[in-house]
Amino acid sequence: MDGNGRWAKQRGLPRLEGHRRGVETVRTVTDAAREMGIRYITLYAFSVENWRRPAEEVSGLMGLLDYFLKRELDTLIKNKVRLHTIGRTEDLPANVQRELNRVKAATAGFTEWNLVLALNYGARTEAADAARAYATAVRDGREKLEDCSWERFNRYLYTADIPEPDLLIRTSGETRISNFLMLQLAYAELIFTPTLWPEFGKSDLQAAVDEYNKRERRFGLTSEQIKAGTK
Ligand code: FPP
């Protein structure tokens, strides 16, 4: 969800105003995704690196998160959307953790629609946390070191219950991954758009999906094998 700061700066507004507008885009995009049949949507809302931003911006973002969770609970329930989080949420402020737990518990029974918030998330931190959890399982006799494979290791990532993304969209013209879902994106289609997040709308999401649908996903096979239906 990149470009909130630049959107605000272009208008002579404080950066937080851009994030505020960004929250409205979250609603627009999650509604549009559901209408389009996208069952999982993951938003990179706060990275492990974002703590180093000015204290005022960090506390403003935490406040917006709290506001968003309080405001969206009824809508998530009405639309049967389950909230998940990935990241070290245990380091978030206590009030945000409380709201997250409340919303997660209230939506835990839903299966069809899923909103995943990446909060205090970093792919390298995730890899280290998974390695530690895997090593603990080996030590405790729940895993065997010689059985270590991607399929087994995968179960120790924050995303164990969430399918790999098919499509990544990064807004605001930046063409980097920035420590986001680095292992899970191995075969994802990447789309970079110059549109700033506060201006990203349903038509932009549709355009990205149209572009995704034109691409051939080969997963290491040849085009001929894909056309012949090789699995
Ligand atoms: C990146 O734009 C955006 C963020 C670091 C924060 C995104 C958070 C929100 C939209 C609000 C809270 C989230 C939810 C789900 C309610 P930037 O600030 O890096 O923009 P810039 O590159 O233009 O400065």
Side-chain angles (χ1 to χ4, degrees):
M1 300 191 282
D2 207 359
N4 296 343
R6 274 163 286 168
W7 181 89
K9 196 170 174 197
Q10 284 169 4
R11 287 159 181 78
L13 298 168
R15 291 179 56 82
L16 205 54
E17 211 41 59
H19 295 312
R20 240 174 240 131
R21 270 297 289 255
V23 173
E24 300 317 310
T25 305
V26 169
R27 167 69 82 82
T28 310
V29 167
T30 50
D31 282 352
R34 213 178 54 259
E35 281 170 35
M36 291 162 66
I38 299 169
R39 292 188 49 219
Y40 285 83
I41 179 156
T42 303
L43 299 170
Y44 202 177
F46 196 83
S47 76
V48 289
E49 293 87 8
N50 286 152
W51 295 109
R52 293 165 62 206
R53 290 192 174 201
E56 190 190 345
E57 183 168 344
V58 171
S59 64
L61 281 169
M62 294 302 147
L64 278 178
L65 201 54
D66 185 64
Y67 159 79
F68 170 82
L69 293 165
K70 288 190 168 98
R71 189 186 78 175
E72 295 299 302
L73 177 59
D74 290 348
T75 310
L76 292 172
I77 292 172
K78 180 171 81 85
N79 294 330
K80 297 189 163 43
V81 180
R82 179 173 181 181
L83 180 79
H84 310 251
T85 56
I86 53 172
R88 287 186 174 170
T89 51
E90 64 274 20
D91 297 334
L92 296 172
N95 65 315
V96 175
Q97 288 190 49
R98 212 166 34 242
E99 286 306 314
L100 283 171
N101 290 336
R102 198 162 75 93
V103 178
K104 283 205 271 188
T107 62
F110 303 134
T111 52
E112 191 173 4
W113 306 108
N114 297 273
L115 171 62
V116 186
L117 295 183
L119 292 167
N120 195 19
Y121 175 85
R124 290 176 173 178
T125 311
E126 178 181 31
D129 285 349
R132 190 181 309 109
Y134 195 92
T136 305
V138 170
R139 186 192 62 195
D140 297 347
R142 287 177 283 118
E143 292 283 359
K144 287 201 193 109
L145 194 54
E146 54 276 24
D147 290 344
C148 188
S149 62
W150 165 248
E151 286 71 25
R152 292 195 88 87
F153 182 70
N154 193 12
R155 297 185 204 157
Y156 294 84
L157 296 174
Y158 305 145
T159 50
D161 299 327
I162 299 165
E164 284 181 14
D166 295 305
L167 167 64
L168 167 90
I169 304 171
R170 183 166 184 162
T171 53
S172 91
E174 306 294 353
T175 47
R176 292 184 293 275
I177 298 295
S178 298
N179 206 10
F180 186 58
L181 295 177
M182 287 183 329
L183 290 170
Q184 298 87 340
L185 288 171
Y187 292 101
E189 295 299 323
L190 311 183
I191 290 184
F192 299 99
T193 167
T195 308
L196 304 176
W197 177 252
E199 288 173 337
F200 192 84
K202 188 176 175 179
S203 59
D204 299 286
L205 183 64
Q206 186 63 60
V209 170
D210 290 346
E211 161 70 24
Y212 168 85
N213 282 329
K214 281 192 219 142
R215 296 194 186 170
E216 182 184 57
R217 303 186 73 195
R218 291 199 290 275
F219 301 94
L221 301 181
T222 66
S223 190
E224 289 69 25
Q225 284 177 302
I226 296 295
K227 288 192 180 97
T230 308
K231 291 266 185 282

